[in-house]
Amino acid sequence: MSLFNTENTWAFVFGLLGNLISFAVFLSPVPTFYRIWKKKTTEGFQSIPYVVALFSATLWLYYATQKKDVFLLVTINAFGCFIETIYIAMFLAYATKPARMLTVKMLLLMNFGGFCAILLLCQFLVKGATRAKIIGGICVGFSVCVFAAPLSIIRTVIKTRSVEYMPFSLSLTLTISAVIWLLYGLALKDVYVAFPNVIGFALGALQMILYVVYKYCKTSPHLGEKEVEAAKLPEVSLDMLKLGTVSSPEPISVVRQANKCTCGNDRRAEIEDGQTPKSGKQSSSAAAT
């Protein structure tokens, strides 16, 4: 079976570009796993994206073995299987026991049990072109589910009116990757390669539009943010009350004492001032008599 053929120039060009971009995408979690290795803990990271990526690469690699002139599809998915296996191994090495057990269960259920079931059914029940179509349909269905995963991120962006959880560089890279692989599928006239990337391109474009809207356009704060700010007010009031209970008695007592003393002194001063002239007149008149 021929896997590599340069007669289709456009397929070769787009496949090579797709390999380069997908290679960069596969290596994007390297800083994350360097952090995990350095701290010897997975912290709050999850293994689900890497288990799913490994299963997807395995399916597409199996599909590529059923087709001709798709060597570049083989290379990138073989690399994907390799690098995702390393990621998962590092995660298992430094994860907590509950996270490790969950990862092992997903691997056994999806990557081992699921793939083995697909492999056995396709190898023994169907043959030839029909096998490639069935495997291609499975790949398309799973890829659509993977591409639909960013819908939760889009929902978060719309709800919070913040692009904090949707990096523009990653969205742009995935969109370009979807466009390149779409063109690769069209050059090969392979609907199973082209169709999932149509959805990937549409969702990627939507993410970039939302990024521009909520990053550079002024919008009114979301109700959730107002609620958060309102929730902070009692803390401030509580602190003010605490400060008041500690520091208010002394100034109040001082003010009251000052008022009493001032009032008393004023009254005494007025009485003394009123009595002093009289006593003076009385003494002087007594002296005159």
Side-chain angles (χ1 to χ4, degrees):
M1 181 187 302
S2 176
L3 292 177
F4 184 65
N5 191 352
T6 57
E7 291 182 359
N8 193 335
T9 305
W10 287 114
F12 175 75
V13 172
F14 291 133
L16 186 60
L17 291 174
N19 271 252
L20 295 175
I21 297 174
S22 297
F23 183 81
V25 172
F26 276 128
L27 291 179
S28 60
V30 168
T32 298
F33 282 91
Y34 176 75
R35 176 179 174 179
I36 291 175
W37 172 78
K38 191 174 182 180
K39 293 188 175 183
K40 310 301 181 184
T41 176
T42 57
E43 298 178 326
F45 296 106
Q46 296 182 355
S47 62
I48 296 176
Y50 312 106
V51 174
V52 171
L54 176 60
F55 185 58
S56 177
T58 306
L59 285 177
W60 282 108
L61 186 61
Y62 180 42
Y63 172 75
T65 60
Q66 309 298 317
K67 301 287 291 184
K68 297 179 180 179
D69 305 331
V70 288
F71 177 74
L72 294 174
L73 195 62
V74 172
T75 55
I76 190 59
N77 286 288
F79 176 76
C81 291
F82 171 74
I83 195 68
E84 297 297 338
T85 301
I86 294 178
Y87 293 154
I88 294 172
M90 290 186 64
F91 188 91
L92 291 174
Y94 298 111
T96 60
K97 185 175 181 180
R100 188 182 299 116
M101 294 302 298
L102 177 62
T103 303
V104 171
K105 290 178 181 178
M106 288 191 299
L107 286 172
L108 292 176
L109 180 64
M110 183 185 300
N111 298 76
F112 181 76
F115 180 74
C116 287
I118 293 172
L119 180 65
L120 293 175
L121 291 174
C122 291
Q123 286 296 126
F124 291 103
L125 296 182
V126 293
K127 296 181 180 180
T130 305
R131 178 189 300 165
K133 291 179 180 179
I134 292 177
I135 300 172
I138 295 173
C139 291
V140 169
F142 189 76
S143 296
V144 168
C145 295
V146 172
F147 279 127
L151 290 175
S152 60
I153 300 176
I154 293 174
R155 179 177 177 273
T156 302
V157 171
I158 296 175
K159 184 178 180 180
T160 61
R161 297 180 182 271
S162 172
V163 294
E164 180 182 359
Y165 304 102
M166 190 178 65
F168 181 79
S169 58
L170 180 59
S171 299
L172 179 61
T173 303
L174 293 176
T175 303
I176 295 174
S177 176
V179 172
I180 295 298
W181 286 112
L182 170 61
L183 296 174
Y184 177 75
L186 293 176
L188 289 176
K189 298 180 181 179
D190 192 327
V191 66
Y192 300 109
V193 176
F195 179 73
N197 290 288
V198 174
I199 300 176
F201 167 70
L203 292 176
L206 178 59
Q207 289 182 39
M208 290 190 292
I209 292 172
L210 290 175
Y211 187 92
V212 173
V213 169
Y214 291 112
K215 179 69 175 180
Y216 299 104
C217 298
K218 293 182 180 180
T219 56
S220 59
H222 194 265
L223 183 60
E225 296 179 1
K226 294 181 180 179
E227 293 175 353
V228 171
E229 292 180 0
K232 294 180 181 179
L233 293 177
E235 297 180 0
V236 178
S237 302
L238 183 60
D239 293 337
M240 293 174 66
L241 290 173
K242 289 180 180 179
L243 291 174
T245 55
V246 173
S247 59
S248 59
E250 293 181 0
I252 292 174
S253 62
V254 171
V255 172
R256 289 177 178 175
Q257 290 176 3
N259 290 335
K260 289 179 180 180
C261 294
T262 303
C263 295
N265 292 333
D266 292 338
R267 291 176 180 176
R268 291 191 187 95
E270 291 177 359
I271 295 172
E272 290 176 357
D273 291 341
Q275 292 176 354
T276 301
K278 294 179 181 179
S279 61
K281 291 179 181 179
Q282 291 177 357
S283 61
S284 59
S285 58
T289 56

